[in-house]
Amino acid sequence: MSVIEKDLQSVFKHDPAARSRIEVILTYSGFHALVLHRFAHFLYRHRYKLLARIVSALSKFFTGIEIHPAARIGEGVFIDHGVGVVIGETAVVGNNVVIYQGVTLGGTGKDKGKRHPTIEDGVMISAGAKVLGPFTVGKNAKIGAGSIVLKEVPPNATVVGVPGRVVRIGGERVDDLNQSLPDPVSEELERLAKRVEELERKVGGS
């Protein structure tokens, strides 16, 4: 079975509104974006990078879904109501992943090389969620709508909130897991306070 066929079957698995193959092929923008991405990715791997970017740009124009041609996407992926979906250059998406509208698999701007997340098999990422950074979201995890995920997610976990916090693993509530996340605002204020102290010492000693 081809990758495109698996993507097509995934639509019927996850969308009860899908009535026929011809309807999906002609009208589902998420399916169109995946087909065009697979062609763009083929071109990119064979060093036709400019042509790959052109195909990617055309796909974004017609579907509202932006997938960098270097991103690696597995089989049976379903992008539902995909307008606003962004998948970055070094992102890796596994098999049977479900992605809803407005999802970003992006970077933080601080990393080099691998800058975008790895999404393992069976993950569901709900509408508007942002997964930012070069970490892994484990198999069968669920990311809640509007969540901002900035760190590793264990397999079978459910993550919600801003910043994202693990609230369930394997259906069991999580209350005592250490989920401390860096607060960039607090860190910057602390750095500025230390700098002011240093300057005051220099001025006082001069």
Side-chain angles (χ1 to χ4, degrees), residues 23-184:
E23 179 184 57
V24 172
I25 291 169
L26 292 177
T27 67
Y28 274 59
S29 60
F31 179 72
H32 299 159
L34 287 171
V35 171
L36 289 168
H37 169 72
R38 297 193 191 286
F39 178 51
H41 186 66
F42 172 84
L43 294 172
Y44 197 90
R45 285 192 297 107
H46 288 82
R47 300 184 182 277
Y48 297 102
K49 293 186 177 181
L50 176 58
L51 186 55
R53 293 303 298 266
I54 291 171
V55 172
S56 178
L58 288 172
S59 176
K60 177 186 175 184
F61 178 79
F62 286 109
T63 68
I65 298 167
E66 181 176 356
I67 308 175
H68 193 284
R72 290 158 43 198
I73 297 183
E75 302 174 346
V77 172
F78 177 50
I79 300 177
D80 190 24
H81 301 292
V83 172
V85 167
V86 177
I87 300 177
E89 179 183 9
T90 61
V92 178
V93 178
N95 301 326
N96 305 310
V97 171
V98 178
I99 299 173
Y100 289 94
Q101 68 269 23
V103 165
T104 298
L105 306 181
T108 62
K110 299 178 180 179
D111 302 292
K112 305 290 184 182
K114 180 77 166 78
R115 308 184 305 281
H116 305 99
T118 295
I119 310 298
E120 293 191 338
D121 297 351
V123 171
M124 184 189 77
I125 309 177
S126 299
K130 313 300 177 187
V131 185
L132 308 175
F135 54 83
T136 298
V137 176
K139 289 183 177 180
N140 302 313
K142 293 180 174 62
I143 309 298
S147 299
I148 298 180
V149 184
L150 302 172
K151 64 181 293 187
E152 194 110 353
V153 176
N156 304 302
T158 299
V159 175
V160 299
V162 180
R165 294 177 59 86
V166 176
V167 294
R168 290 183 183 274
I169 296 181
E172 299 293 325
R173 283 190 61 83
V174 174
D175 296 316
D176 56 355
L177 187 64
N178 181 8
Q179 300 178 66
S180 58
L181 288 169
D183 183 343

